Amino acid sequence: MIVYCNGEFMEKSKVVISPDDRGFLFADGVYEVIRAYQGRLFKRAEHFDRLAYGLKELRIGGVDLNSLAAIAARLLTDNGLAKADATVYLQITRGSAPRSHRFPPTGTPPTCYLEAKPFSPPTNVQQTGAAAITVPDQRWARCDIKTIALLANTLAHQQAHEAGAFEAIFARNGVLQEGSHSSILFVKDNVLISPPLTNHILAGITRSVVHSVAAAESISTATRSCHEDELPEFQEVLMVGTTVDIVPITVVNGRPIGGGAPGPIARKLQSALHKLTQPSPS
Amino acid sequence: MIVYCNGEFMEKSKVVISPDDRGFLFADGVYEVIRAYQGRLFKRAEHFDRLAYGLKELRIGGVDLNSLAAIAARLLTDNGLAKADATVYLQITRGSAPRSHRFPPTGTPPTCYLEAKPFSPPTNVQQTGAAAITVPDQRWARCDIKTIALLANTLAHQQAHEAGAFEAIFARNGVLQEGSHSSILFVKDNVLISPPLTNHILAGITRSVVHSVAAAESISTATRSCHEDELPEFQEVLMVGTTVDIVPITVVNGRPIGGGAPGPIARKLQSALHKLTQPSPS
C-alpha cells in the first residue's frame, strides 16, 4: 500500500512515526475518514471543513488543506482504487517534539498521514438491522472535535462487540448522544429526530446528508434531545456514518425497537442515500 | 540516546512507531514517568503498581512488567545516567493493528517504549512559588487511569502557560480536582487537604508520599473535596508530582493564596521530601 506521510508518498511499511509524535504521546491530533466512490471523494468539502474546524479549535497550524485533496486523489490512483469503493483515512497531529504538555515551538511541522484502502460497507447489517447497547458517556467535553483521543470510543465499541452488538450508543445523564463511531437518529411519530449539535456530539456528515435526503423524501425531521427512557417509544433507530451508511438498529439493550425489524424510514433513506453515492448507470 | 522499543535497545532515531499503532490512532495506552536518583528508581513499586492497574482497567495484556524495571535500569546505565538525576518515561499501547475501534486480535503484542533522560526539577518555582489558573475539567470520566489520552491536559497546560501561569487546575462543577500534570493539595486551618480519589483524579504517587511525609512531620491531614469558592480561604496551595516535587502555588487566577508567598507547610514538606530522595552524605 502506498501512503502519504509528511510530504512523501511511500510504502506503508516504510512509514516512521516518531515516539515523540504528539499523536502518540498526547492524542494531540484530528482525523477524518472519507468515502471514495470510483475515485470521487464523497462530501469532500464537508470533510475538509470539519477538519479545518478541528485544527482551528486545537490551534494546529501549518497544514496545507488545499493540497490534501490532491494527495488523497493520488493515493486512490496509486493504489489502484480509482475505479473502486474505498476509504481515505487522514490524520494530522501537532507534530513531533520533546515531550512537554505545552505546545511545541512555533514552526514545528504537524504530522500529516493519509492512506487509502478498498472498502466494502456492512451490507449484511444494512439489510438485516443490527443490535446496539447503551453505555454511559465517559468521553471528554469536546466531542464536537474529531480528535484521535478515542480511547473511550474504543472501550465502548469493544463492550458492544462483546455483548454481541454492532454499536454502543453513548448516554450522558440519560440523554442519547451518538454512537462510538457513528451518529444515531431516532424515529417517533413518523418524525426523524436528530440530537442537537452540542459539545458532546460530532457534526456527522452522513447525518447531515441523511437529513437533507429526508427532506427531499418528504420525511418530517426534528432536532431535539432524546432520552434513554424513550427507547421503547421509538419506531426506528438509525445508525448513520461514513463507514456504515445507514444501519437500522433493531434491538437496543436486548429489547426490540419498533417491530424489531428495519423500518420503512430506514429503507427509504437507505435507498435515497444509495442513489446519491452511486453513479447513475449511463 | 539509547531507548527501548518492543524488545530492542536502540538509538532513539531508529525507533519506528507504526501509523497503525493504537497509541497513535486511538490514544489506547498508558504511561508512567519515574524519577531516578543516582540510578535508583524512586517509588518504583508504586509506579509499576499504577501501571498494572491501568493495563488491567484497559485490558491490555502481554506486558512483562517484571522485565521493565531491569530495562529501565539498563537505560540509565547505557545513557550515562547511573550517577545522575533522571526520568524514565514508559509507555505501553495496545499494539499495532489495522484500524478498528474493536480491540485487535488476541495475541497482538502491545507496544512497549521506554526512554531515560537527564532531569532537573524546576528549582526556581520550588523556591519562589508559582502561579496557577483554574480551568473547567473537560477530561473524560476515567482520570484514575494514567492514559495517553492527554489532549485536554495539554490544552489546559498551554492555556496556563499563555496566561503566564505554571499550572492549570481542573475544576469539575466547581470542585478542584488536580493539575494538568500534577496533584494539587490545599492547606486550611493548618490542615493539609487532599481531594478524595475518585474517577476524576489520578492516584498521584508524589501526593501519596507527601501525605506520608506530612504525617511524619506531625502535619494534620484530611481528605475532602475542595471547592473553587474556597480558594480565598486557603493558607497554601501545593502542586505536587513526579516532575515538580513540591511547588508552592502562590497565586491562583491572579489572586494571592495566603500571603502570596510559599508557606511554612510547603517549606517543611519540601525539606522532608528532599531528605527522602537524596542519599544521605556518607
Side-chain angles (χ1 to χ4, degrees):
Chain A
M1 185 194 300
I2 304 292
V3 304
Y4 172 90
C5 190
N6 293 338
E8 287 182 63
F9 292 85
M10 63 183 87
E11 275 294 335
K12 184 167 181 177
S13 59
K14 303 287 187 203
V15 171
V16 175
I17 302 297
S18 164
D20 281 341
D21 194 282
R22 292 181 65 94
F24 185 67
L25 295 174
F26 292 117
D28 191 3
V30 291
Y31 77 105
E32 285 289 334
V33 183
I34 312 177
R35 283 284 278 282
Y37 299 95
Q38 315 294 315
R40 181 176 58 91
L41 295 175
F42 184 65
K43 296 293 166 187
R44 184 181 73 179
E46 288 80 354
H47 282 281
F48 279 92
D49 284 353
R50 186 168 66 184
L51 184 64
Y53 171 75
L55 293 170
K56 175 175 72 66
E57 289 298 299
L58 299 188
R59 297 164 56 201
I60 295 176
V63 180
D64 179 7
L65 285 175
N66 291 326
S67 70
L68 296 182
I71 291 165
R74 176 164 161 195
L75 287 177
L76 291 169
T77 306
D78 286 3
N79 290 289
L81 299 167
K83 300 284 174 203
D85 284 0
T87 51
V88 172
Y89 178 81
L90 193 163
Q91 179 171 330
I92 296 167
T93 79
R94 204 183 303 278
S96 179
R99 188 178 186 281
S100 162
H101 280 62
R102 190 181 301 176
F103 290 178
T106 308
T108 301
T111 297
C112 188
Y113 177 79
L114 284 88
E115 66 175 47
K117 61 183 179 189
F119 182 76
S120 301
T123 48
N124 52 339
V125 285
Q126 288 174 357
Q127 287 313 308
T128 61
I133 59 170
T134 58
V135 296
D137 193 349
Q138 298 194 312
R139 299 172 303 160
W140 77 322
R142 290 304 305 274
C143 298
D144 56 312
I145 312 174
K146 199 168 172 71
T147 78
I148 55 173
L150 291 168
L151 178 52
N153 300 64
T154 68
L155 295 175
H157 190 67
Q158 178 68 17
Q159 190 181 336
H161 175 61
E162 291 176 9
F166 190 68
E167 180 59 303
I169 304 172
F170 289 116
R172 192 176 284 261
N173 301 321
V175 177
L176 300 166
Q177 303 288 345
E178 59 186 344
S180 74
H181 69 308
S182 68
S183 304
I184 305 288
L185 307 177
F186 308 92
V187 177
K188 190 171 171 178
D189 300 331
N190 299 316
V191 176
L192 181 71
I193 306 166
S194 306
L197 294 178
T198 66
N199 55 312
H200 295 306
I201 194 171
L202 187 75
I205 288 165
T206 308
R207 169 193 145 116
S208 168
V209 170
V210 166
H211 242 254
S212 305
V213 162
E217 297 285 325
S218 302
I219 297 167
S220 299
T221 60
T223 301
R224 71 161 172 89
S225 295
C226 291
H227 201 275
E228 221 171 346
D229 295 346
E230 287 181 88
L231 280 166
E233 300 161 24
F234 293 131
Q235 295 164 287
E236 303 184 34
V237 173
L238 279 61
M239 173 185 178
V240 310
T242 293
T243 58
V244 294
D245 299 331
I246 299 171
V247 171
I249 298 295
T250 51
V251 174
V252 177
N253 296 337
R255 296 190 182 176
I257 298 294
I265 290 185
R267 289 295 186 229
K268 204 181 234 187
L269 291 171
Q270 283 179 326
S271 171
L273 178 63
H274 187 76
K275 281 182 202 141
L276 265 191
T277 57
Q278 300 304 317
S280 47
S282 51
Chain B
M1 186 196 298
I2 305 294
V3 304
Y4 173 90
C5 189
N6 293 338
E8 287 182 64
F9 291 85
M10 63 183 86
E11 274 295 333
K12 185 168 181 177
S13 59
K14 304 286 187 204
V15 172
V16 175
I17 302 297
S18 164
D20 281 340
D21 194 282
R22 292 182 64 95
F24 185 65
L25 295 174
F26 292 118
D28 192 3
V30 290
Y31 76 106
E32 285 290 332
V33 183
I34 312 177
R35 285 282 281 282
Y37 299 96
Q38 316 294 315
R40 182 177 58 91
L41 295 174
F42 183 65
K43 297 293 166 186
R44 184 180 76 178
E46 288 80 354
H47 282 281
F48 280 91
D49 284 352
R50 186 167 66 183
L51 183 66
Y53 171 75
L55 293 169
K56 176 176 72 65
E57 289 299 299
L58 299 189
R59 297 164 55 200
I60 296 176
V63 180
D64 179 7
L65 285 174
N66 290 327
S67 70
L68 296 181
I71 291 165
R74 177 164 159 195
L75 287 176
L76 291 169
T77 306
D78 285 3
N79 289 289
L81 298 168
K83 300 285 174 201
D85 283 2
T87 52
V88 171
Y89 178 81
L90 192 163
Q91 179 171 329
I92 295 166
T93 79
R94 205 181 304 275
S96 179
R99 189 179 186 280
S100 163
H101 281 62
R102 191 181 302 175
F103 290 177
T106 308
T108 301
T111 297
C112 188
Y113 177 78
L114 284 88
E115 67 175 47
K117 60 184 178 187
F119 182 77
S120 301
T123 47
N124 52 340
V125 287
Q126 288 175 356
Q127 286 312 308
T128 62
I133 60 171
T134 59
V135 296
D137 193 348
Q138 298 193 312
R139 299 173 303 160
W140 76 323
R142 289 303 306 273
C143 298
D144 56 312
I145 312 174
K146 198 168 172 73
T147 79
I148 54 172
L150 291 168
L151 178 52
N153 301 64
T154 68
L155 295 174
H157 190 66
Q158 179 68 16
Q159 189 180 337
H161 175 61
E162 292 176 9
F166 189 68
E167 180 60 302
I169 304 172
F170 289 115
R172 192 175 283 260
N173 302 322
V175 177
L176 301 166
Q177 302 289 345
E178 59 186 343
S180 74
H181 68 308
S182 67
S183 304
I184 306 287
L185 307 177
F186 308 92
V187 177
K188 190 171 171 178
D189 300 332
N190 299 316
V191 176
L192 181 72
I193 307 165
S194 306
L197 295 178
T198 67
N199 55 313
H200 295 306
I201 195 170
L202 185 76
I205 287 164
T206 309
R207 169 192 144 116
S208 168
V209 171
V210 166
H211 243 255
S212 304
V213 162
E217 297 285 324
S218 303
I219 296 167
S220 300
T221 60
T223 301
R224 70 160 172 90
S225 295
C226 291
H227 202 276
E228 223 172 344
D229 295 346
E230 287 181 88
L231 279 166
E233 299 161 25
F234 293 131
Q235 296 163 287
E236 303 184 34
V237 174
L238 279 61
M239 172 186 179
V240 310
T242 294
T243 58
V244 294
D245 298 331
I246 299 171
V247 171
I249 298 295
T250 52
V251 175
V252 177
N253 297 337
R255 296 191 183 174
I257 297 293
I265 290 184
R267 289 298 187 226
K268 203 181 235 186
L269 292 170
Q270 284 179 324
S271 169
L273 179 63
H274 187 77
K275 279 183 203 143
L276 266 189
T277 57
Q278 300 304 317
S280 47
S282 53

